[in-house]
Amino acid sequence: METPAIPMPKDGREQQVLDKLTSIRDQLLLLKRDRTKYIRSQDVMGHYEQLVDLVKELNEIRKGDHEHVENRVDKVLESCFQLISLFFMTIGRTTDVPAAYALTSTVKRLLDHLTEAGLFSPKDLDSLANTLSKLDGILRGGDAQHSPYLVELLSKREALCKTMLAKLQQKLDQLDKPLQVTYEKLISIMRSMSLANTKPKFSVSEVTKLQANLKEIEASRVDGKIVDAEGNPYRGSDEVSDLLKRCLAWSEIVLDRKGAIPEAFQAKYDTLTSVRNDLEKLSITQAWSLRETDLYDFQRELDKIDESRINGNFIDDEGQPAELYVQRTLLYLIRRSYGYIYYLMNSSEPVSEALLPIYNQLQTLKRCLIEVKNSGGVSSVRELYPYVMKLTSIDNMRVDGKFMVGNDIPEGQGSISELLAECFDLNYELRVAADELENSKDNDEEEQGVKMSKE
């Protein structure tokens, strides 16, 4: 695992802490790569407790050091917490404070990029605001259970993220509401063009259609302004008009270059497209194939490329900055990939990976039962037999009310039991409705028979 070229600690005591941290990180990496067995809570908690003890030791060593310069210890410590955080997600402890570490790192990274680009939609900010609210609840509820160092660190990071988010929201609030719709559409078109630009086969027609949408917006302006029904310019018209110009200019560049990347930046481009594509696949199949610790390798790869920029620019081997087209293309891939990581972390279920197969089956059953209910139910109880048999087979897997794996009781028992109960309730509702329908049919047939006999 690569560690950035930063100084080694000068204090011999810190060197000892570094050796221990490196050992923990290596053990976590080995545990992450072992696919022969699921990750158990006791494996993770042992490493977490060792890490907390080392943090206490490090704080004692650095007490009174107000001029501390970040060294290798800080970087390895960060890697350890990042890994531990993803392990907590993997074992289903998604609402514990350590699980929040990786998510706050990703939120901070996304906000950095949104601030740098100055391009964001209301949906972007709403999603991040909801996530920060969720993290706030986790941190408030975990003060007594977890390391004060970790709680304080995450609280400061969360506060910083909230400040950054508020500044972005202020920029958005400067636009009149109707204009925000146009602004969001432009952001969507810009991203769609960037997506088309990074596909394996470039489609001229796809980008041309997007460009036509831009020209429609341009044609609707009056004297270069976006105006209301009375002809008065909206507040923020100039800003949105500038964005429109940027979008039109980008469409011309994309159509001219057709996805061609200079040789000097081809390796970075290939790495980033590979990461983006892998994360995209995981976002589709994550319920069945994702182990949250896998995200660590993706993050390290992205961080390494993102942090290799100098003054915000990508530099080739000769020290020359990338042209605008390359710069925007690489940044789009990085930001898109971080977005996928953010989505996958937010989608992490509060269930151990050992129980995910059962949890996913129940999720599928629930969706099927809801679909059956919404489409009018069943005509007879017999149609529910397959659902009943599957639910009963899952229910019978419990031992003393618990879903066991060997002698272990994995995390997420409450979530699975609750989901199983919801499925049984849906099945019961459908059965009652089917019984009533059958009884109604029997009564109708009986009445019809009596009527015919009288005739």
Side-chain angles (χ1 to χ4, degrees):
M1 180 58 57
E2 293 188 27
T3 302
I6 54 177
M8 294 291 287
K10 295 178 181 179
D11 191 312
R13 294 172 299 169
E14 280 203 27
Q15 181 61 55
Q16 292 178 358
V17 171
L18 175 60
D19 293 341
K20 293 174 184 175
L21 286 172
T22 303
S23 175
I24 290 174
R25 185 192 63 185
D26 292 345
Q27 291 173 56
L28 289 171
L29 288 171
L30 287 172
L31 183 61
K32 177 180 83 69
R33 292 173 186 146
D34 186 358
R35 293 280 182 171
T36 61
K37 56 183 182 294
Y38 79 93
I39 296 169
R40 304 179 305 166
S41 294
Q42 51 265 47
D43 297 329
V44 178
M45 294 309 296
H47 291 302
Y48 173 64
E49 287 163 7
Q50 291 175 30
L51 194 56
V52 169
D53 288 341
L54 286 174
V55 167
K56 291 177 182 174
E57 187 177 335
L58 186 62
N59 286 342
E60 283 298 316
I61 293 170
R62 292 177 174 176
K63 187 178 288 185
D65 181 6
H66 302 299
E67 298 180 359
H68 170 70
V69 177
E70 187 179 75
N71 60 35
R72 192 74 59 85
V73 177
D74 300 285
K75 276 296 179 184
V76 178
L77 181 62
E78 180 187 348
S79 293
C80 288
F81 271 122
Q82 191 76 11
L83 277 164
I84 280 288
S85 182
L86 294 169
F87 271 111
F88 265 75
M89 291 184 187
T90 303
I91 63 175
R93 299 182 67 164
T94 56
T95 57
D96 279 32
V97 169
Y101 187 95
L103 191 50
T104 55
S105 298
T106 305
V107 168
K108 173 65 166 57
R109 185 76 66 165
L110 285 172
L111 285 167
D112 283 338
H113 278 286
L114 291 177
T115 301
E116 178 186 23
L119 301 174
F120 44 87
S121 71
K123 289 179 182 177
D124 294 334
L125 303 192
D126 288 345
S127 175
L128 291 168
N130 289 335
T131 299
L132 287 171
S133 177
K134 181 174 74 174
L135 289 171
D136 190 49
I138 291 173
L139 294 177
R140 288 180 185 277
D143 289 6
Q145 303 171 15
H146 293 281
S147 164
Y149 161 82
L150 184 57
V151 173
E152 182 182 1
L153 172 67
L154 294 181
S155 296
K156 287 180 179 177
R157 189 184 290 174
E158 184 203 15
L160 175 60
C161 288
K162 284 182 176 179
T163 300
M164 295 176 72
L165 185 64
K167 288 180 180 178
L168 294 178
Q169 188 63 54
Q170 282 177 356
K171 290 186 178 180
L172 208 55
D173 291 341
Q174 291 171 3
L175 307 178
D176 278 334
K177 285 292 181 183
L179 201 56
Q180 288 186 19
V181 176
T182 305
Y183 176 84
E184 188 167 1
K185 186 176 181 180
L186 289 174
I187 295 293
S188 177
I189 291 172
M190 174 81 88
R191 290 174 179 173
S192 295
M193 286 192 294
S194 295
L195 173 60
N197 181 51
T198 55
K199 286 182 177 178
K201 187 175 181 181
F202 184 83
S203 171
V204 172
S205 61
E206 184 178 355
V207 179
T208 303
K209 285 179 183 176
L210 292 166
Q211 188 184 60
N213 291 334
L214 293 172
K215 289 179 178 178
E216 281 182 20
I217 297 172
E218 184 182 36
S220 69
R221 293 192 299 165
V222 177
D223 296 329
K225 304 283 186 181
I226 302 176
V227 300
D228 59 21
E230 284 74 39
N232 299 314
Y234 284 116
R235 181 166 53 92
S237 172
D238 290 342
E239 287 79 359
V240 176
S241 293
D242 287 342
L243 175 57
L244 175 60
K245 290 176 186 175
R246 288 175 64 183
C247 289
L248 284 165
W250 180 236
S251 69
E252 293 293 345
I253 294 171
V254 169
L255 285 170
D256 177 58
R257 300 298 294 268
K258 296 182 174 62
I261 297 292
E263 186 63 32
F265 295 95
Q266 189 66 49
K268 274 190 176 71
Y269 178 81
D270 291 342
T271 298
L272 289 172
T273 50
S274 176
V275 169
R276 190 272 311 270
N277 293 342
D278 287 344
L279 287 167
E280 185 178 22
K281 289 174 189 173
L282 278 176
S283 72
I284 297 169
T285 63
Q286 58 93 15
W288 303 96
S289 60
L290 176 68
R291 175 184 268 190
E292 283 83 355
T293 50
D294 294 340
L295 297 177
Y296 179 78
D297 293 333
F298 292 119
Q299 280 187 304
R300 293 292 291 182
E301 194 71 60
L302 291 170
D303 290 351
K304 185 171 66 175
I305 294 175
D306 194 19
E307 291 167 9
S308 70
R309 292 190 286 155
I310 298 176
N311 296 324
N313 295 319
F314 291 100
I315 306 296
D316 64 18
D317 293 338
E318 297 178 358
Q320 297 301 311
E323 59 182 302
L324 178 66
Y325 171 73
V326 175
Q327 179 80 1
R328 283 191 180 176
T329 300
L330 296 182
L331 281 174
Y332 165 76
L333 289 169
I334 287 176
R335 289 162 185 167
R336 182 72 171 171
S337 297
Y338 279 128
Y340 277 128
I341 289 173
Y342 168 76
Y343 166 77
L344 290 166
M345 285 182 179
N346 262 325
S347 302
S348 182
E349 302 287 1
V351 174
S352 166
E353 65 171 348
L355 298 181
L356 268 180
I358 299 172
Y359 187 80
N360 290 333
Q361 288 177 54
L362 287 171
Q363 289 275 44
T364 303
L365 276 169
K366 181 181 175 181
R367 282 194 293 270
C368 290
L369 288 166
I370 289 173
E371 185 63 33
V372 170
K373 182 180 177 181
N374 291 339
S375 60
V378 294
S379 56
S380 73
V381 175
R382 190 176 291 109
E383 293 178 43
L384 294 172
Y385 286 174
Y387 302 107
V388 175
M389 290 173 65
K390 186 61 181 176
L391 288 171
T392 303
S393 70
I394 292 176
D395 193 29
N396 290 339
M397 294 170 67
R398 292 197 280 189
V399 178
D400 295 330
K402 304 288 184 184
F403 290 94
M404 307 282 288
V405 177
N407 294 321
D408 295 328
I409 304 175
E411 301 283 346
Q413 300 289 329
S415 297
I416 291 187
S417 295
E418 183 180 340
L419 189 53
L420 180 60
E422 288 177 12
C423 289
F424 271 121
D425 287 344
L426 282 166
N427 182 76
Y428 177 74
E429 289 176 23
L430 289 167
R431 193 186 77 193
V432 170
D435 281 337
E436 289 176 353
L437 183 62
E438 287 183 344
N439 289 335
S440 176
K441 283 182 180 178
D442 290 341
N443 291 335
D444 288 345
E445 289 174 3
E446 193 175 315
E447 288 177 8
Q448 188 68 25
V450 171
K451 198 173 185 181
M452 288 178 66
S453 64
K454 285 182 179 179
E455 292 175 353

